[in-house]
Amino acid sequence: MNWQTNEEHQMIRRMVREFAEKEIAPRAEEIDATDEFPEDLFRRMGELGIIGLPFPEKYGGSGGDYMSLVIALEEIARVSGSMAITLDAQTSLYCEPVYLFGSETQREKYLTPAASGDKIGAFGLTEPQAGSDAGATRTRAVRDEATGEWVINGQKIFITNGSIADYVVITAKTDPEAGTRGISAFIVERGTPGFEPGRDEKKMGLKGSVTSELFFEDCRIPAENLLGKENEGFKQFLTTLDAGRVAIAAMAVGLAQGAFDKALAYAQERQQFGQPIAKFQAIQWMLAEMATEIDAARLLVNRAAGLRAQDERFTKEAAMAKLFATEMSESVCYKAIQIHGGYGYVREYEVERMYRDQRLCAIGEGTNQIQRLVIARQILGR
Ligand SMILES: Cc1cc2nc3c(=O)[nH]c(=O)nc-3n(C[C@H](O)[C@H](O)[C@H](O)COP(=O)(O)OP(=O)(O)OC[C@H]3O[C@@H](n4cnc5c(N)ncnc54)[C@H](O)[C@@H]3O)c2cc1C
């Protein structure tokens, strides 16, 4: 089992870091303040091949692997959590299931333009009554026997990229008697009659990333927009979420690294009692703990991404990476604020934004309580 990064991964890290520092970092504060989706930066991620990193070139991708994607997510999150979650939703939540479960025609039509950043994608699983219990979906898809079309009725909430998406992969019940074996996945295009985005949420952090309600009322989609096989949607989204968990763990590592870098620089500049605060052992210990925790989380993320890249099972490893990295980011960003003292609590210093942004990581793509359940089930062999 190899989960080391290679020369190509290092090259991707350098390229994405340069882009993130030059083009995203100078705008990160403005994105947070205005809460507006920076479409131009999204398109730039497409042009640079970042969105399509793990997909073959024939589908508009860059021909890399999942490790390349987590490296890119980490580097982008290091300067902007909002851009990182936008990339996560586009690549690992929307493009990934279309690539894994889509037919050749679906890949050409719905993956290629999204992998190159020309079209925006979203993944709609969560509903008002179906969050952690995503199998309890109430959205219903019924086949019209006369035309073969699917008629969808229901609602999704908290969907990243939702109201700006050109295409959304959603789950819906196709056989209500069959429990989780009666759920299917569909691709719905923006503009389809009966499909309307609702409000965009006002969030604690990750501002500029769009989080929306979606409504479906007698929304008719063609038979060929069923993604994969009928009634296999539950299995599909569990697979999608495994990869998504590694992605959100990478985002947590990036946010923590960004906060650590700021704290390290600040500790060496800020003078109290006639010397830089980095000379105090209390500060040194915090820095040492932060650096260690970030490294440990990155190793877990790399292990899970490496398994994914080699098509091996990684459910447990993805959940462990997500659980550890997202609790690590809470602790590291907390300490980064502590090291900044009062300046850490005000908006001028970026650690305040990073602390707010990282908070979602322990909730999205399965809360950390759910990650503990997943890990325990794997350990107990259930
Ligand atoms: C900013 C943002 C972006 C998001 N993006 C997307 C997206 O793109 N697509 C999408 O489909 N969803 C998205 N979500 C939804 C997200 O995945 C859910 O919020 C998350 O899965 C939790 O569901 P819930 O909010 O309904 O919480 P609930 O499931 O109601 O959980 C509430 C509490 O109960 C706990 N709990 C629930 N069940 C158990 C259990 N069995 N054992 C122990 N504790 C339990 C939870 O851990 C939590 O602490 C997003 C959410 C946010 C906030």
Coordinates of all heavy atoms in Angstrom, one line a residue, residues 247-290:
A247 N -11.9 14.6 1.1 CA -11.8 16.0 0.6 C -12.0 17.0 1.7 O -11.2 17.9 1.8 CB -12.8 16.2 -0.5
I248 N -13.0 16.8 2.5 CA -13.3 17.7 3.6 C -12.2 17.7 4.7 O -11.8 18.7 5.3 CB -14.7 17.6 4.2 CG1 -15.1 19.0 4.7 CG2 -14.8 16.6 5.2 CD1 -16.6 19.2 4.7
A249 N -11.6 16.5 4.9 CA -10.5 16.4 5.8 C -9.3 17.2 5.3 O -8.6 17.9 6.1 CB -10.1 14.9 6.0
A250 N -9.0 17.1 4.0 CA -7.9 17.9 3.4 C -8.2 19.4 3.5 O -7.3 20.1 3.8 CB -7.8 17.5 1.9
M251 N -9.5 19.7 3.4 CA -9.8 21.1 3.6 C -9.5 21.6 5.0 O -9.0 22.7 5.3 CB -11.3 21.3 3.3 CG -11.8 22.6 3.2 SD -13.6 22.5 2.8 CE -14.2 23.8 3.9
A252 N -9.8 20.7 6.0 CA -9.5 21.0 7.4 C -8.0 21.2 7.6 O -7.5 22.1 8.3 CB -10.1 20.0 8.3
V253 N -7.2 20.3 7.0 CA -5.8 20.4 7.1 C -5.3 21.7 6.5 O -4.4 22.4 7.1 CB -5.1 19.2 6.4 CG1 -3.5 19.4 6.3 CG2 -5.4 17.9 7.1
G254 N -5.8 22.1 5.4 CA -5.4 23.4 4.8 C -5.8 24.6 5.6 O -4.9 25.5 5.8
L255 N -7.0 24.6 6.2 CA -7.4 25.7 7.0 C -6.5 25.8 8.3 O -6.0 26.9 8.7 CB -8.8 25.6 7.4 CG -9.8 26.0 6.4 CD1 -11.2 25.4 6.6 CD2 -10.0 27.6 6.5
A256 N -6.2 24.6 8.8 CA -5.3 24.6 10.0 C -3.9 25.0 9.7 O -3.3 25.8 10.4 CB -5.3 23.2 10.6
Q257 N -3.4 24.6 8.5 CA -2.1 25.0 8.1 C -2.0 26.5 7.9 O -1.0 27.2 8.3 CB -1.7 24.3 6.8 CG -0.3 24.6 6.3 CD 0.8 24.0 7.2 OE1 0.8 22.8 7.5 NE2 1.7 24.8 7.7
G258 N -3.1 27.1 7.3 CA -3.1 28.5 7.1 C -3.1 29.3 8.4 O -2.4 30.3 8.6
A259 N -3.9 28.8 9.4 CA -3.9 29.4 10.7 C -2.6 29.3 11.4 O -2.1 30.2 12.1 CB -5.0 28.8 11.5
F260 N -2.0 28.1 11.3 CA -0.7 27.9 11.9 C 0.4 28.8 11.3 O 1.2 29.4 12.1 CB -0.2 26.4 11.7 CG 1.2 26.2 12.1 CD1 1.5 26.0 13.5 CD2 2.2 26.1 11.2 CE1 2.8 25.8 13.9 CE2 3.5 25.9 11.6 CZ 3.8 25.7 13.0
D261 N 0.4 29.0 10.0 CA 1.4 29.8 9.3 C 1.3 31.3 9.9 O 2.3 31.9 10.1 CB 1.2 29.8 7.8 CG 1.6 28.5 7.2 OD1 2.2 27.6 7.9 OD2 1.2 28.2 6.0
K262 N 0.0 31.7 10.0 CA -0.2 33.1 10.5 C 0.3 33.2 12.0 O 0.9 34.2 12.3 CB -1.7 33.5 10.5 CG -2.3 33.4 9.1 CD -2.1 34.7 8.3 CE -2.6 34.5 6.9 NZ -1.8 35.3 5.9
A263 N 0.0 32.2 12.8 CA 0.3 32.2 14.2 C 1.8 32.2 14.4 O 2.4 32.9 15.2 CB -0.3 31.0 14.9
L264 N 2.5 31.4 13.6 CA 4.0 31.2 13.7 C 4.6 32.6 13.3 O 5.5 33.0 14.1 CB 4.4 30.2 12.7 CG 5.9 29.9 12.6 CD1 6.4 29.4 14.0 CD2 6.3 28.9 11.5
A265 N 4.1 33.3 12.3 CA 4.7 34.6 11.9 C 4.4 35.6 13.0 O 5.3 36.3 13.4 CB 4.1 35.0 10.6
Y266 N 3.2 35.6 13.5 CA 2.8 36.6 14.5 C 3.6 36.4 15.8 O 4.1 37.4 16.4 CB 1.3 36.4 14.8 CG 0.8 37.5 15.7 CD1 0.4 38.8 15.2 CD2 0.6 37.3 17.1 CE1 -0.1 39.8 16.0 CE2 0.2 38.3 17.9 CZ -0.2 39.6 17.4 OH -0.6 40.5 18.2
A267 N 3.8 35.1 16.2 CA 4.5 34.9 17.4 C 6.0 35.4 17.4 O 6.6 35.7 18.4 CB 4.5 33.3 17.7
Q268 N 6.5 35.4 16.2 CA 7.9 35.9 16.1 C 8.0 37.5 15.9 O 9.0 38.0 16.2 CB 8.6 35.3 14.8 CG 8.8 33.8 15.1 CD 9.2 33.0 13.9 OE1 10.4 32.9 13.6 NE2 8.2 32.6 13.1
E269 N 6.8 38.1 15.6 CA 6.8 39.5 15.4 C 6.4 40.2 16.7 O 6.9 41.3 17.1 CB 5.8 39.9 14.4 CG 6.2 39.8 13.0 CD 5.0 39.8 12.0 OE1 3.9 40.2 12.4 OE2 5.2 39.2 10.9
R270 N 5.4 39.7 17.3 CA 4.7 40.4 18.5 C 5.6 40.4 19.7 O 6.1 39.3 20.2 CB 3.4 39.6 18.8 CG 2.7 40.1 20.0 CD 2.1 41.5 19.8 NE 1.3 41.8 21.0 CZ 0.8 43.1 21.2 NH1 1.1 44.0 20.3 NH2 0.1 43.3 22.2
Q271 N 5.9 41.6 20.2 CA 6.7 41.7 21.4 C 5.9 42.0 22.6 O 5.0 42.8 22.6 CB 7.7 43.0 21.2 CG 8.5 42.9 19.9 CD 9.9 42.4 20.2 OE1 10.4 42.5 21.3 NE2 10.5 41.9 19.1
Q272 N 6.2 41.3 23.7 CA 5.6 41.6 25.0 C 6.7 41.3 26.0 O 7.5 40.4 25.8 CB 4.4 40.7 25.3 CG 3.1 41.2 24.5 CD 2.6 42.5 24.9 OE1 2.0 42.7 25.9 NE2 3.0 43.6 24.1
F273 N 6.7 42.0 27.1 CA 7.8 41.9 28.1 C 9.2 42.0 27.5 O 10.1 41.2 27.8 CB 7.6 40.6 28.9 CG 6.3 40.5 29.6 CD1 5.2 39.8 29.1 CD2 6.1 41.1 30.9 CE1 4.0 39.8 29.7 CE2 4.9 41.1 31.6 CZ 3.8 40.4 31.0
G274 N 9.3 42.8 26.4 CA 10.6 43.1 25.8 C 11.1 42.0 24.9 O 12.3 42.0 24.6
Q275 N 10.3 41.1 24.5 CA 10.8 40.0 23.6 C 9.7 39.4 22.8 O 8.5 39.6 23.1 CB 11.5 38.9 24.4 CG 10.6 38.3 25.4 CD 11.3 37.1 26.2 OE1 12.4 36.7 25.8 NE2 10.8 36.7 27.3
P276 N 10.0 38.8 21.6 CA 8.9 38.2 20.8 C 8.2 37.1 21.7 O 8.9 36.4 22.4 CB 9.7 37.5 19.7 CG 11.1 38.1 19.7 CD 11.4 38.5 21.1
I277 N 6.9 37.1 21.5 CA 6.1 36.1 22.4 C 6.6 34.6 22.1 O 6.3 33.8 22.9 CB 4.6 36.3 22.2 CG1 4.1 36.1 20.8 CG2 4.2 37.6 22.8 CD1 2.6 36.1 20.6
A278 N 7.2 34.4 20.9 CA 7.6 33.1 20.5 C 8.7 32.6 21.5 O 9.0 31.4 21.5 CB 8.2 33.0 19.1
K279 N 9.3 33.5 22.3 CA 10.3 33.1 23.2 C 9.7 32.5 24.5 O 10.4 31.9 25.3 CB 11.2 34.3 23.6 CG 12.1 34.8 22.5 CD 13.5 34.6 22.8 CE 14.4 34.7 21.6 NZ 15.3 35.9 21.6
F280 N 8.4 32.7 24.7 CA 7.7 32.1 25.9 C 7.4 30.6 25.6 O 6.9 30.3 24.6 CB 6.4 32.9 26.2 CG 6.6 34.3 26.5 CD1 6.0 35.3 25.7 CD2 7.5 34.7 27.5 CE1 6.2 36.6 26.0 CE2 7.7 36.1 27.7 CZ 7.1 37.0 27.0
Q281 N 7.7 29.8 26.6 CA 7.5 28.4 26.4 C 6.0 28.1 26.2 O 5.7 27.2 25.4 CB 8.1 27.6 27.6 CG 8.3 26.2 27.3 CD 8.9 25.4 28.4 OE1 8.4 25.5 29.6 NE2 9.9 24.6 28.1
A282 N 5.2 28.8 26.8 CA 3.7 28.6 26.6 C 3.3 28.7 25.1 O 2.5 27.9 24.6 CB 2.9 29.6 27.4
I283 N 3.9 29.7 24.4 CA 3.6 29.8 23.0 C 4.3 28.7 22.2 O 3.7 28.1 21.3 CB 4.1 31.2 22.6 CG1 3.4 32.3 23.3 CG2 3.9 31.4 21.0 CD1 1.9 32.6 23.0
Q284 N 5.5 28.4 22.6 CA 6.3 27.4 21.8 C 5.5 26.0 21.9 O 5.5 25.3 20.9 CB 7.7 27.2 22.4 CG 8.6 28.4 22.2 CD 9.9 28.3 22.9 OE1 10.2 27.2 23.5 NE2 10.7 29.3 22.8
W285 N 5.0 25.7 23.1 CA 4.3 24.5 23.2 C 3.0 24.4 22.3 O 2.7 23.4 21.7 CB 3.9 24.2 24.7 CG 5.1 23.8 25.5 CD1 6.4 24.0 25.2 CD2 5.0 23.1 26.7 NE1 7.2 23.4 26.2 CE2 6.4 22.9 27.1 CE3 4.0 22.6 27.5 CZ2 6.7 22.2 28.3 CZ3 4.3 21.9 28.7 CH2 5.7 21.7 29.1
M286 N 2.4 25.6 22.3 CA 1.2 25.6 21.4 C 1.6 25.4 19.9 O 1.0 24.6 19.2 CB 0.4 26.9 21.5 CG -0.5 27.0 22.7 SD -1.7 28.3 22.6 CE -0.8 29.6 23.4
L287 N 2.7 26.0 19.5 CA 3.2 25.9 18.1 C 3.6 24.4 17.9 O 3.3 23.9 16.8 CB 4.3 26.9 17.9 CG 3.9 28.3 17.8 CD1 5.2 29.2 17.8 CD2 3.1 28.6 16.5
A288 N 4.3 23.9 18.8 CA 4.8 22.5 18.7 C 3.6 21.5 18.5 O 3.6 20.6 17.7 CB 5.6 22.1 19.8
E289 N 2.6 21.7 19.4 CA 1.4 20.8 19.3 C 0.6 21.0 18.0 O 0.2 20.1 17.3 CB 0.4 21.2 20.5 CG 0.9 20.7 21.8 CD 0.2 21.4 23.0 OE1 -0.8 22.1 22.8 OE2 0.7 21.2 24.1
M290 N 0.5 22.3 17.6 CA -0.2 22.6 16.3 C 0.5 21.9 15.1 O -0.1 21.2 14.3 CB -0.3 24.1 16.1 CG -1.1 24.8 17.0 SD -0.7 26.6 17.1 CE -1.6 27.3 15.8

